[in-house]
Amino acid sequence: MRRLISSLILAGCFFSATSFSLLPQQYRDFAQAQTADELFYTFYGQKIPLDLRRDTVAVSFKPRNTRSRSIQPLYLQLQQDLRRGGGNTRSIGSNHRSDVDVKPLGENIALVNLPSGTRASLNTVQLQIQKQPYVQEILPILSRKSQSASPETKSESVIVLPNEIVISFAGEMSESQRQIILLRHNLEVLRPLRFSKNRYLVRSKSVSGTEILHVANQLTQVAGVQSATPNFIQATSDHMSQLLATAANLPETPHAAERLQQQLAQLPQPKDTPISSNLLPLQWHLNSTPRRGQLLARTDIRATEAWRNSNGGRGVVVAVIDSLIQWDHPDLVKKTYKSGDRSDKLPGEEYGWDFSSQGEGDADTRLSSQEMSQIQAEFQDTFKLPSDQLLKKYQQLSGILKQRYPKASDSEIAHRIRNLIRAEIGSEFHGTWAAGVIAANSEDKAGILGVAPHTQILPVRVFGLRGAINMASLSEAIGYAASRNVDVINMSLGGLLPDEGLTEQIFDVLDAHRNLVIVASAGNENLDGVGFPAGIPGVVSVGATNMTGNRTFYSSYGGGLDLVAPGGEIQNSLSGGILTTGGTWLDGFWQGMSVPDYAWGLALDPLGKYVQVQGTSFSAPIVSGVVALMKGEDPKRRLSRDEIVSILNQTATYDGLNLSKADANRYRLQKEVGFGTVVDAPVSRPSGIFPKAKPVSAQEYFFGRGLVNADAAVQAVKNR
């Protein structure tokens, strides 16, 4: 029986043109029932419209048998061949060879982009790409345009469309019935999805390109098919780049080590805390008193008080489903959950699993040598190249910034380029950032502390480089984490396309594990209605506040929002961010060059061992850490998920929270015209899940049930 979400709304953007003429006859009748210009897929019967990108394509490469750093990455090889006419191709144009920009996306895909105004056409570029012997196929790129972004940060999303569909069959279907459906639609099974029931990754043997959308749509009409959704490869790096754009003009901090010690000498350590570390006074989200003083209201989660009344989350495991999780960071290395002997243990599994890799995946969620080879050069460019050479090498980015800041000097543009590249590369360790927020605790007490410093993390990687993610991998990752009997799953990811199969998987996992709590970030779109997957019923969605107690400028609100927690803001000061563990301290980033004596970009220190960041991606792990503290006081796991979430809601508070004038006025408008109805309502809810249609107070509209209170939540669990 198909599950239904009762309140759905069409979410998306304007239609774009495509042709159905290449479809087999069995699909044409269904396709012609639609408008012939539509590109879309469905989410519980609702169309999610998509556009075809005309300025860029994706390229998948043939597999190579080595991961050695000594071999040039294929995306760089392709860029060189397209720009300079190497390999088996002629150059695209002698005057415009540098127009083509190639960026890696995950392990085996690259994005080939033509900037506006170039003489070369995309068709010409595709012909040249096809001649390369190492190229497997060219894939279309779709977009779902954001209507919420400001003109300065607005960009089209990147959604790669492979010839893959995730299909879910009804449980009562026999194997022979499934095979008949697959044969009739000319589909072959690539593999069954692991840690999932009745779900398969399939490909079409008769169509390719955008036609796979229509195949998936047609399958949803077939009896016995519970859901069928293209296995989109989404790139979340653009969302992260927009959020971190505020860091583009951050100044460098000279003599960073001395400055940091001077700053710490002026800040008191929180009083009477059983757990401490050198950098704790800077972690305002745990206790804001050192930063705000005794007279101003607390805007933190009262973690230090919770530590006095708890065991710090001992005996609890939190799965971090995210990007690179560098669990050998000194503040995390002793906090990583180690897999024991089990019948379903994956090959080589020890510390979690990497579902972003091809095939069965990888036992290591950390940065590989191959990945280091893809990002090291750009990182080092920002330190080695003088401004004129940097502007020349990154002329496309330079051109964009010069248009955006016409009065900026070349040196100012170069400074912004350095910060943007460093922020982009640093954000590859988004999973390390989230893990640090939850459980960091260094043995020498020289670093930071997580919300639950005695809990353990299970690293589960689903993002490849540049935020590449697909729903098949995410579905497997969620099932894997649940199969390892974790207590909490943290998903600091949002803005994904709503996916029916993933929704079903989360429902299945929640039904099978009554004590498991899943926490997700509400989204950074500044919209009424949380993103996907936070909007799925049963998932705790978390918005973000700043150090002054306001909703952050980016945090989504309204429909589906459960709670808020500190998420940080670095617009006015980097110290307003959430301090956590970074990843650029690895030796490979600094090989062959000197480490600077200044702090740069988001980094607190010259190596980037610690960073100060912003986003609902960090308010979510704060709540996951609070749940870990709560479960640490319930060692026999007597409290169900519903009881834990109920305590979270009941103990949350509006104390210390403030409505900005802009938000107060926004609420007045919504109260008059109806909650959940805004000017751009058709595109305002990325999750595709309609918010609850009921009157709420201004505080609940923007803060859900309030700011999570770790101490009160722990006390309530102990009182049970």
Side-chain angles (χ1 to χ4, degrees), residues 59 61 64 69-87 100-105 107 109-112 132 134 370-378 381 393-394:
V59 176
F61 299 114
R64 292 198 292 188
R69 287 184 58 190
S70 62
I71 297 179
Q72 179 175 243
L74 287 176
Y75 86 94
L76 286 177
Q77 182 67 50
L78 179 61
Q79 180 167 270
Q80 290 177 6
D81 288 341
L82 293 178
R83 287 183 176 184
R84 296 199 292 264
V100 179
D101 185 53
V102 183
K103 294 288 186 184
L105 181 65
E107 185 176 10
I109 290 178
L111 305 179
V112 181
Q132 306 308 320
Y134 49 85
Q370 181 185 22
E371 290 171 324
M372 176 66 81
S373 71
Q374 293 186 16
I375 60 180
Q376 180 199 54
E378 285 192 359
D381 282 347
K393 184 167 184 177
Y394 298 93

Side-chain angles (χ1 to χ4, degrees), residues 437 490 492 519 521-522 542-545 554-555 564-567 578 615-624 708:
V437 171
N490 184 84
S492 288
V519 181
S521 48
V542 188
T545 55
Y554 52 80
S555 181
V564 292
I578 303 298
T616 58
S617 287
F618 313 107
S619 53
I622 285 175
V623 171
S624 292
V708 66

Side-chain angles (χ1 to χ4, degrees), residues 350-371:
E350 187 173 12
Y351 297 109
W353 196 257
D354 179 3
F355 288 90
S356 74
S357 299
Q358 292 183 317
E360 291 188 349
D362 195 294
D364 199 340
T365 65
R366 298 173 297 178
L367 187 73
S368 69
S369 59
Q370 181 185 22
E371 290 171 324

Side-chain angles (χ1 to χ4, degrees), residues 339-579:
S339 301
D341 292 331
R342 46 188 314 123
S343 59
D344 62 348
K345 191 172 184 178
L346 298 171
E349 178 186 356
E350 187 173 12
Y351 297 109
W353 196 257
D354 179 3
F355 288 90
S356 74
S357 299
Q358 292 183 317
E360 291 188 349
D362 195 294
D364 199 340
T365 65
R366 298 173 297 178
L367 187 73
S368 69
S369 59
Q370 181 185 22
E371 290 171 324
M372 176 66 81
S373 71
Q374 293 186 16
I375 60 180
Q376 180 199 54
E378 285 192 359
F379 182 79
Q380 293 198 354
D381 282 347
T382 67
F383 294 97
K384 289 181 175 180
L385 296 182
S387 293
D388 58 339
Q389 294 183 30
L390 191 75
L391 293 173
K392 183 178 180 181
K393 184 167 184 177
Y394 298 93
Q395 56 182 319
Q396 187 177 140
L397 179 56
S398 173
I400 293 172
L401 292 173
K402 285 180 178 179
Q403 287 184 340
R404 190 174 297 172
Y405 307 103
K407 296 182 179 180
S409 66
D410 283 352
S411 62
E412 290 171 334
I413 295 295
H415 178 72
R416 289 180 179 272
I417 290 175
R418 296 183 204 279
N419 273 344
L420 286 173
I421 293 175
R422 292 167 184 171
E424 179 181 318
I425 291 175
S427 68
E428 298 287 1
F429 295 93
H430 189 278
T432 309
W433 296 355
V437 171
I438 295 170
N441 190 359
S442 61
E443 287 190 309
D444 61 5
K445 305 304 177 185
I448 65 165
L449 290 171
V451 173
H454 292 323
T455 201
Q456 290 182 298
I457 61 166
L458 175 70
V460 186
R461 184 179 176 186
V462 291
F463 288 98
L465 292 185
R466 291 186 60 81
I469 185 173
N470 65 78
M471 291 302 100
S473 295
L474 181 54
S475 181
E476 288 185 314
I478 293 170
Y480 164 80
S483 75
R484 274 28 183 181
N485 298 318
V486 300
D487 299 287
V488 189
I489 292 177
N490 184 84
M491 294 193 292
S492 288
L493 46 91
L496 301 179
L497 290 171
D499 187 280
E500 195 167 333
L502 186 72
T503 304
E504 293 168 347
Q505 171 74 327
I506 288 179
F507 282 152
D508 287 347
V509 164
L510 291 175
D511 290 345
H513 303 269
R514 63 182 293 271
N515 292 341
L516 174 64
V517 178
I518 301 180
V519 181
S521 48
N524 304 317
E525 285 77 26
N526 186 27
L527 292 174
D528 177 351
V530 303
F532 187 87
I536 296 175
V539 175
V540 179
S541 62
V542 188
T545 55
N546 60 23
M547 188 161 43
T548 61
N550 293 107
R551 179 180 70 92
T552 60
F553 72 91
Y554 52 80
S555 181
S556 293
Y557 54 92
L561 180 66
D562 291 313
L563 297 159
V564 292
E569 269 188 359
I570 57 176
Q571 281 184 306
N572 299 320
S573 171
L574 188 61
S575 62
I578 303 298
L579 181 61

Side-chain angles (χ1 to χ4, degrees), residues 131-151:
K131 296 178 181 179
Q132 306 308 320
Y134 49 85
V135 169
Q136 184 160 296
E137 62 180 327
I138 297 176
L139 303 171
I141 295 181
L142 309 173
S143 69
R144 189 178 177 202
K145 296 177 183 177
S146 169
Q147 302 297 310
S148 64
S150 67

Side-chain angles (χ1 to χ4, degrees), residues 248-315:
N249 206 33
L250 288 171
E252 294 171 348
T253 304
H255 310 296
E258 293 86 345
R259 292 284 187 94
L260 178 58
Q261 293 307 313
Q262 293 172 5
Q263 183 182 10
L264 290 172
Q266 298 171 359
L267 296 174
Q269 281 276 351
K271 296 181 179 179
D272 302 324
T273 175
I275 310 170
S276 188
S277 70
N278 290 355
L279 300 179
L280 180 58
L282 301 178
Q283 296 185 267
W284 65 267
H285 60 286
L286 302 177
N287 187 324
S288 59
T289 301
R291 293 285 304 278
R292 288 174 58 83
Q294 298 285 347
L295 300 180
L296 294 177
R298 296 275 293 272
T299 57
D300 59 271
I301 65 165
R302 301 180 182 268
T304 53
E305 289 88 344
W307 297 340
R308 290 202 299 263
N309 299 308
S310 73
N311 65 12
R314 199 179 304 277

Side-chain angles (χ1 to χ4, degrees), residues 34-35 38 50-51 91 93 104 118 154 176 180 196 266 339 367 387 400 429 487 491 530 542 598 614 621-622 687:
Q34 323 300 319
T35 303
E38 290 180 314
L50 300 165
D51 280 346
S91 60
T118 185
K154 191 171 182 178
S176 60
I180 289 172
S196 184
Q266 298 171 359
S339 301
L367 187 73
S387 293
I400 293 172
F429 295 93
D487 299 287
M491 294 193 292
V530 303
V542 188
Y598 56 85
Q614 65 181 11
I622 285 175
S687 69

